[in-house]
Amino acid sequence: MPGLIGKKIGMTSIFSAEGKNIPCTVIEAGPCLVTQIKTKEKDGYDAVQIAFDDKKDKSSNKAMIGHFNKANTSAKRKLVEFRGNFEHLNLGDVLNVGDVLKNDRWIDVTGISKGKGFQGVVKRYGFKGVGDATHGQHNRLRAPGSLGASSYPSRVFKGMRMAGRTGTDRVKVINISIVKLIPEKNILIVKGSVPGANGSYLIINK
Amino acid sequence: MVIKLKFAIMNNLLKAVVDEYAATNDFPEFGAGDTIVVTYKIKEGNKERLQKFKGVVLQRKGSGISETFTIRKMSGNIGVERIIPVQSPFIESIEINKKGKVRRARIYYLRGLTGKKARIKERRF
């Protein structure tokens, strides 16, 4: 079985059987539809493309509608490809959270992290700021300090970590434990947090 | 409008999950200003024992499964506060000693008062 596409609903907390208060994230996972099966002969690699979340036909172009028609489904908002050869899957098959994650205790979740705007090096890269007395750190609390040596090389190296746009990155969190599945509502509850804002899409890998 | 609707659906899903876990307990209704006795279980190794905590409720906070209340008592002349989740499985029972007559939902001002000043009038029906 491939993974699933989900939508972050929000966070809450529940009590475990031992009475511990567990922080957890509620994810609406699936139902996903198989919209394309890629094969080594035809596409150069094996993969399956799955789709999630309805949208109106009028908001997709004709090419996409044609693509969805092939799998005999309505238009969908989010498409994701999973590499691998899944022989038992056919076009138009429905993947439900109850079937896909039935035997799993741990999953990986990929999402787009929240945008933080233009941030300095302390937030962006974890520089220590004023805690350092050396490395060019002087009298400013959150400055980056030295950018490098002087007359040689007489320039700043490419890739030097500096302030800039932060967040909105693709972030994968591995080995999140599953707290509970509610298959009839397509709900997946995992322990802890996952990347992104409420309502954003998540890729769930096993 | 559409966006509002979308989030309404999402909130419903979250609520459905919370409701599923929020146990229906039969504790009496209490709020800020009430004097209550909370009996809760304490685990020590394998043994479980009950402990009572009698004090004034300072506030109730949150909703659903994450709702908590703060309870304060004077132990000698030191104030002791505990924050307890209403849905906590460790609560054995809650009983109300006195309904207090207070004007606000969070009576933090009680922390600054001691002795006769720290009394709360009883609510008569």
Side-chain angles (χ1 to χ4, degrees):
Chain A
M1 281 280 195
L4 281 172
I5 312 171
K7 193 192 252 180
K8 180 169 168 181
I9 300 295
M11 290 193 72
T12 181
S13 65
I14 60 173
F15 288 98
S16 70
E18 304 91 63
K20 278 194 174 161
N21 198 349
I22 309 171
C24 56
T25 309
V26 180
I27 300 169
E28 184 188 1
C32 299
L33 280 156
V34 177
T35 46
Q36 193 182 0
I37 293 165
K38 297 194 170 180
T39 55
K40 195 144 200 171
E41 300 84 61
K42 206 174 158 199
D43 307 283
Y45 61 98
D46 289 321
V48 58
Q49 184 194 65
I50 63 174
F52 173 61
D53 214 5
D54 285 320
K55 70 172 174 180
K56 283 180 186 158
D57 275 350
K58 71 169 186 186
S59 15
S60 29
N61 58 30
K62 280 184 182 165
M64 284 315 288
I65 289 174
H67 183 68
F68 289 123
N69 281 343
K70 267 188 204 167
N72 211 4
T73 75
S74 58
K76 301 280 175 185
R77 225 171 261 283
K78 182 79 179 167
L79 297 170
V80 173
E81 219 175 83
F82 288 89
R83 295 292 280 265
N85 188 0
F86 307 99
E87 279 164 356
H88 54 284
L89 287 179
N90 298 311
L91 274 184
D93 278 1
V94 180
L95 301 172
N96 284 312
V97 66
D99 307 325
V100 177
L101 300 176
K102 196 164 42 187
N103 301 319
D104 293 272
R105 285 184 56 213
W106 311 92
I107 51 171
D108 298 343
V109 176
T110 310
I112 305 290
S113 65
K114 279 185 184 174
K116 309 274 188 296
F118 193 100
Q119 295 295 333
V121 288
V122 174
K123 190 182 185 81
R124 196 174 184 204
Y125 292 113
F127 284 20
K128 291 197 201 95
V130 79
D132 282 355
T134 177
H135 305 306
Q137 200 57 275
H138 187 40
N139 57 0
R140 291 156 302 155
L141 294 174
R142 299 174 72 90
S146 170
L147 297 182
S150 179
S151 58
Y152 183 78
S154 282
R155 64 189 175 89
V156 174
F157 288 125
K158 268 190 180 175
M160 181 63 59
R161 293 175 296 171
M162 294 191 194
R165 284 277 184 98
T166 310
T168 337
D169 300 318
R170 186 186 164 102
V171 179
K172 185 176 196 178
V173 186
I174 60 169
N175 288 339
I176 302 184
S177 75
I178 297 176
V179 176
K180 196 180 165 71
L181 295 175
I182 308 176
E184 58 272 23
K185 289 200 179 83
N186 294 311
I187 281 176
L188 160 70
I189 305 175
V190 296
K191 185 178 173 185
S193 57
V194 298
N198 289 349
S200 63
Y201 290 109
L202 303 166
I203 302 167
I204 297 153
N205 275 301
K206 297 207 286 179
Chain B
M1 182 61 208
V2 175
I3 293 169
K4 261 188 193 165
L5 198 71
K6 208 173 93 183
F7 279 95
I9 292 166
M10 276 170 48
N11 283 335
N12 284 345
L13 273 179
L14 191 62
K15 205 168 165 287
V17 172
V18 169
D19 286 348
E20 185 149 322
Y21 277 94
T24 48
N25 45 34
D26 47 357
F27 300 144
E29 264 186 38
F30 62 92
D34 297 347
T35 306
I36 63 172
V37 179
V38 182
T39 314
Y40 53 87
K41 293 174 231 167
I42 292 181
K43 261 193 185 156
E44 284 168 338
N46 295 332
K47 268 199 260 174
E48 225 179 46
R49 66 185 177 86
L50 298 175
Q51 196 169 67
K52 285 186 175 173
F53 193 104
K54 182 184 176 187
V56 181
V57 179
L58 290 192
Q59 63 168 344
R60 284 182 77 140
K61 194 177 182 183
S63 65
I65 199 151
S66 55
E67 185 176 4
T68 62
F69 61 91
T70 307
I71 178 169
R72 175 185 174 89
K73 73 168 176 185
M74 295 303 287
S75 174
N77 57 354
I78 295 169
V80 179
E81 283 182 20
R82 280 203 66 146
I83 301 169
I84 304 173
V86 176
Q87 300 285 349
S88 170
F90 290 107
I91 300 180
E92 178 77 18
S93 68
I94 294 175
E95 55 178 287
I96 300 177
N97 281 69
K98 205 170 83 177
K99 282 272 189 187
K101 186 178 172 189
V102 289
R103 290 186 169 196
R104 47 210 78 224
R106 291 166 188 195
I107 49 168
Y108 297 139
Y109 66 84
L110 203 68
R111 288 172 177 158
L113 304 177
T114 51
K116 280 190 171 182
K117 282 253 166 66
R119 283 175 303 180
I120 293 173
K121 262 194 188 167
E122 190 167 351
R123 197 162 80 215
R124 308 259 174 217
F125 297 100

